[in-house]
Amino acid sequence: MPSPSQADPAISAVRAALDNAGHELAEVLVSRPDDKADHIVVRYNPLSSDTWDLEEEQNTALAETLRRAGWEGALDLGALVFLPGVPSPTATPTTFVATWRTEIDNVDDAQQAAEEARGRQLDPEITESLWDVTDAVGRTRTVHCIDPDRS
């Protein structure tokens, strides 16, 4: 029978990101409160640690590592690192969410910004090429697409 971390691709991905960055996995707890929770908790927890400062410093390092690995929502809460919005273990691994991104200046509210963005999206002369792509385990990357030659 697989352990919970083996059955949860997001937990496996978090552990792999930490391991790839050189963190000692034996000193890190990665967990999801239950299989329906949409968040993961990461905590530095060595057997020999008895100082809060060391734990806080290590949790800050863990959060930074996870942000660099694409977990943009990683929050360093001092006592732990909190990853919100993580899809459930049953999420389809080949599903991605791609969000088009453009900066809207000189507008008064969100409705006006959304309308301006939609106008740009429909204008064939404008080619915005930045996309935020989130994979099935919650990691987000910004991707710059090169537009095809339309001549």
Side-chain angles (χ1 to χ4, degrees):
M1 178 167 189
S3 72
S5 65
Q6 291 171 325
D8 190 331
I11 288 178
S12 297
V14 167
R15 292 182 62 77
L18 296 172
D19 189 36
N20 290 339
H23 294 280
E24 180 57 53
L25 292 184
E27 298 179 340
V28 179
L29 299 174
V30 182
S31 63
R32 188 186 298 261
D34 61 58
D35 63 351
K36 292 176 182 49
D38 65 351
H39 66 279
I40 290 177
V41 174
V42 180
R43 186 167 193 273
Y44 178 72
N45 190 33
L47 296 174
S48 62
S49 175
D50 58 358
T51 65
W52 169 255
D53 291 340
L54 178 61
E55 288 187 30
E56 190 169 16
E57 178 182 313
Q58 289 301 315
N59 283 327
T60 299
L62 295 172
E64 182 55 33
T65 293
L66 292 171
R67 281 191 288 271
R68 282 194 310 267
W71 299 89
E72 292 184 353
L75 302 173
D76 173 14
L77 301 180
L80 54 87
V81 177
F82 183 75
L83 296 172
V86 178
S88 75
T90 59
T92 308
T94 57
T95 300
F96 292 84
V97 175
T99 308
W100 176 62
R101 185 168 47 140
T102 186
E103 187 170 320
I104 308 294
D105 294 321
N106 302 318
V107 295
D108 295 326
D109 61 26
Q111 179 68 35
Q112 199 175 5
E115 289 170 3
E116 171 67 21
R118 181 66 175 149
R120 290 183 191 183
Q121 190 180 43
L122 296 173
D123 186 339
E125 299 300 314
I126 296 177
T127 57
E128 298 288 350
S129 60
L130 284 180
W131 292 84
D132 290 330
V133 180
T134 304
D135 66 15
V137 295
R139 295 170 294 200
T140 300
R141 298 267 191 249
T142 298
V143 178
H144 179 259
C145 297
I146 298 173
D147 294 329
D149 183 6
R150 297 178 188 251
S151 58

